Amino acid sequence: MTASPAGGARGGRDDTVAAVVRQWRAVHPDLDTGPMEIIGRVNRCAALLQQAEDAPLRRAGLSRPEFDLLGALRRTGHELTPGELARETFSSGAAVTKRLKQLTERGLVERRGDDRDRRVTHVRLTEAGRTLVDGILPEQLAYETAVLSDLDTPGQTQLAALLGELLMRLEGRAGTLRV
C-alpha cells in the first residue's frame, strides 16, 4: 500500500501519521504539515522496526547499543579504539566505555593497551562475540527482508535512494545538519 499525496494511504485506510496530520490541519489549517508527513512516518517506521528487530537481541541478552558496538567491530574486521567505536555508533565516549565494560565482563570483547601510547585502548571481538554477531545478523536480515517484501524491487531502490539523500543532507560533510 502506498501513501497518497494527501497523506492518507491508498485503499481507504490511513496510517497513524495521516490521522495526526488531519488533526493538526483541523487545529492549524494555515500550517504546512508536509514535513510531518515524511519525518513522522520515518520516525514511526524506525520505532516499529527497532522494536521487532530487537527481539533477537533481547533473546541474546543484548541491548541495541551493545549490538551496535559488536556489529561495528565485526563489520570493520579489525580492532577499534573506544573513540572510533563512538564515531561508528553515534554514541558518547562515556556510553561506549560503559558498554565495553559490560561486553568485556560477558567475554564478548577484549581490550588491550596500545604499545606506543598507554592512554589508548584497542578493542576486538572475542570468538564468542563473533559467533554471537554472526548468529543474530541472519535473523535480523530475514526480518528486514520480510518487512520490505511488499515493496517491489524498483520501490525498494527508490526508497533507499531517497533515504540516502536525506541521510547525506542530515549528516552533512562535517556531521552537522545543512539547511
Side-chain angles (χ1 to χ4, degrees):
M1 190 175 296
T2 58
S4 70
R10 292 185 188 145
R13 290 185 48 214
D14 282 342
D15 60 42
T16 55
V17 172
V20 168
V21 167
R22 262 196 321 282
Q23 291 168 341
W24 278 117
R25 285 182 182 159
V27 175
H28 286 289
D30 53 321
L31 292 180
D32 176 11
T33 57
M36 186 182 297
E37 294 182 47
I38 296 169
I39 303 300
R41 285 187 175 100
V42 167
N43 287 336
R44 179 88 172 139
C45 286
L48 291 170
L49 287 168
Q50 190 159 341
Q51 284 175 7
E53 190 177 68
D54 284 354
L57 304 181
R58 285 190 299 275
R59 284 193 295 277
L62 290 173
S63 68
R64 161 64 52 185
E66 289 171 333
F67 183 74
D68 289 345
L69 287 177
L70 296 173
L73 288 166
R74 181 66 175 117
R75 72 176 183 267
T76 60
H78 56 82
E79 294 180 344
L80 296 172
T81 66
E84 291 168 333
L85 281 167
R87 283 187 296 280
E88 283 286 326
T89 61
F90 306 104
S91 301
S92 71
V96 167
T97 299
K98 178 182 174 187
R99 291 175 194 134
L100 286 176
K101 181 178 186 284
Q102 294 165 337
L103 294 170
T104 301
E105 289 170 358
R106 289 188 59 190
L108 300 174
V109 299
E110 294 175 335
R111 296 190 243 189
R112 70 165 184 84
D114 189 272
D115 298 333
R116 293 172 290 179
D117 186 346
R118 291 184 304 179
R119 297 170 297 174
V120 176
T121 303
H122 297 274
V123 181
R124 71 181 181 102
L125 281 178
T126 62
E127 190 58 40
R130 182 177 291 107
T131 300
L132 183 62
V133 171
D134 289 350
I136 292 173
L137 189 58
E139 188 176 351
Q140 285 189 296
L141 290 173
Y143 168 74
E144 292 171 4
T145 299
V147 166
L148 296 173
S149 66
D150 286 342
L151 290 176
D152 59 13
T153 301
Q156 289 184 29
T157 301
Q158 182 181 18
L159 181 57
L162 289 170
L163 289 171
E165 287 178 34
L166 177 60
L167 183 58
M168 285 189 331
R169 177 165 171 73
L170 291 170
E171 289 178 340
R173 293 282 178 233
T176 58
L177 175 61
R178 293 182 292 164
V179 287

